[in-house]
Amino acid sequence: MTVQEMKEKKKEIGYTYSQIAELSGVPLGTVQKIFNGSTSSPRYDTLRALEKVFQLSFDEPKKPTDMIREASAPYFVKKQGDYTLEDYYAIPDDIRVELIDGVIYDMSAPTSVHQLLTGFLFTQFMNHVMKEKGSCLPIVSPIDVQLDCDDRTMLQPDVVIVCDRKKVVHRCVYGAPDFVLEILSPSSRKKDSIIKLNKYMNAGVREYWVVDPEKRLVLVYDFEHNNFPIIYGFDSQIPVRIWEEKLVLDFREASDHIQFLYEDR
């Protein structure tokens, strides 16, 4: 089976790159390079491993979940939990993923609501820094954050604020930002609300905002003082605690910024 035939079968069945990697035993970065054309001459054993995944579907179409139960990796490759920054950097730049404790997570394309809120909130933070001539650096995604300064985690938060400029190096933010903001989407809800919440808290992030556009809520974690969130509605005045509440965001303005997207619902 040629690579082109496998691409067509991938589209027909609806496999993600992660599913193909899981079923074939081929590293995720290698799968992505083959299917996006970055690798023009894949190794024979790699093609055979990929071919076996799609050959099953010629005999009897199955759902991806069925194949995950039945398939076994024919080659010795890394499993989720064993990936490192070397694997992360092998993934093409146009494919967004996060590496968390050796596990690679795909990142779906952001929605209009997500992008509008991200841009609006980042602008408020930047305007405050410029007005106050502050030293903190608001940074908007995509930006790599090597949170734990190891080779097993690399995150891409929606917005970060870094007050220690030594942590901002050419390739990434090296270490924990002072402030992190994540905007929830259906595909990221569990990761942002549980997995990354604990990572940020344990790494030394001082303040973490979780913005939920669907429920119109903002959860603010002030890790310097407690581990429990303060819950705000989109009609609230929300202070930024790392700046000693010198900046208070009127979230009604943020809500008005995206309201037109909900008017026809």
Side-chain angles (χ1 to χ4, degrees):
M1 187 184 302
T2 66
V3 172
Q4 183 58 41
E5 288 173 330
M6 286 190 280
K7 287 181 180 180
E8 293 172 358
K9 203 65 185 174
K10 173 185 179 298
K11 184 183 297 185
E12 176 185 335
I13 299 171
Y15 285 157
T16 65
Y17 290 130
S18 294
Q19 288 169 333
I20 296 172
E22 180 77 19
L23 295 169
S24 66
V26 176
L28 177 61
T30 302
V31 171
Q32 292 169 322
K33 286 183 177 180
I34 290 172
F35 280 87
N36 69 21
S38 298
T39 299
S40 58
S41 300
R43 293 174 51 180
Y44 175 77
D45 56 352
T46 299
L47 288 177
R48 287 291 298 152
L50 293 172
E51 185 179 28
K52 288 182 180 180
V53 173
F54 294 99
Q55 189 63 49
L56 288 172
S57 62
F58 279 114
D59 300 330
E60 181 181 354
K62 295 180 175 68
K63 297 178 181 179
T65 51
D66 295 330
M67 293 189 65
I68 289 173
R69 286 196 298 269
E70 296 177 11
S72 59
Y75 297 95
F76 293 102
V77 296
K78 291 182 179 179
K79 297 180 180 179
Q80 287 283 40
D82 294 336
Y83 289 105
T84 66
L85 288 185
E86 181 179 359
D87 305 299
Y88 178 84
Y89 285 126
I91 297 171
D93 291 340
D94 61 338
I95 298 173
R96 289 188 64 198
V97 301
E98 289 185 306
L99 176 67
I100 306 177
D101 294 329
V103 177
I104 290 179
Y105 294 84
D106 287 322
M107 300 178 70
S108 59
T111 64
S112 299
V113 169
H114 182 286
Q115 293 300 86
L116 286 169
L117 278 176
T118 299
F120 180 86
L121 295 171
F122 167 76
T123 300
Q124 308 308 306
F125 299 141
M126 181 58 75
N127 286 344
H128 174 76
V129 170
M130 298 296 289
K131 178 181 178 182
E132 299 294 323
K133 301 186 185 302
S135 60
C136 296
L137 296 172
I139 308 173
V140 67
S141 185
I143 179 69
D144 283 341
V145 175
Q146 196 170 346
L147 187 70
D148 299 323
C149 301
D150 62 10
D151 69 344
R152 289 173 44 80
T153 296
M154 187 71 88
L155 305 181
Q156 288 197 11
D158 292 321
V159 179
V160 299
I161 300 174
V162 183
C163 296
D164 181 357
R165 294 195 172 204
K166 292 180 181 178
K167 291 184 178 181
V168 181
V169 298
H170 284 286
R171 63 180 178 85
C172 69
V173 173
Y174 188 75
D178 295 85
F179 176 101
V180 176
L181 181 147
E182 299 277 15
I183 297 175
L184 298 184
S185 62
S187 62
S188 71
R189 181 174 295 276
K190 179 180 178 181
K191 181 176 63 171
D192 291 344
S193 301
I194 301 175
I195 299 172
K196 293 172 79 172
L197 164 65
N198 287 301
K199 291 295 295 182
Y200 293 141
M201 178 175 62
N202 293 328
V205 171
R206 297 164 58 196
E207 185 170 353
Y208 179 38
W209 288 21
V210 181
V211 180
D212 189 336
E214 290 301 316
K215 295 183 179 180
R216 305 240 170 169
L217 296 175
V218 181
L219 279 68
V220 173
Y221 292 86
D222 179 8
F223 292 136
E224 289 190 302
H225 300 97
N226 60 69
N227 295 333
F228 300 99
I230 302 172
I231 302 175
Y232 296 93
F234 268 31
D235 58 350
S236 301
Q237 305 278 326
I238 307 180
V240 179
R241 286 162 176 78
I242 65 165
W243 287 330
E244 299 177 350
E245 303 188 11
K246 293 179 181 178
L247 173 63
V248 178
L249 294 186
D250 185 348
F251 234 82
R252 288 174 298 184
E253 295 180 356
S255 180
D256 291 344
H257 190 59
I258 61 171
Q259 182 57 37
F260 74 97
L261 291 170
Y262 295 89
E263 290 175 352
D264 295 331
R265 287 190 170 189

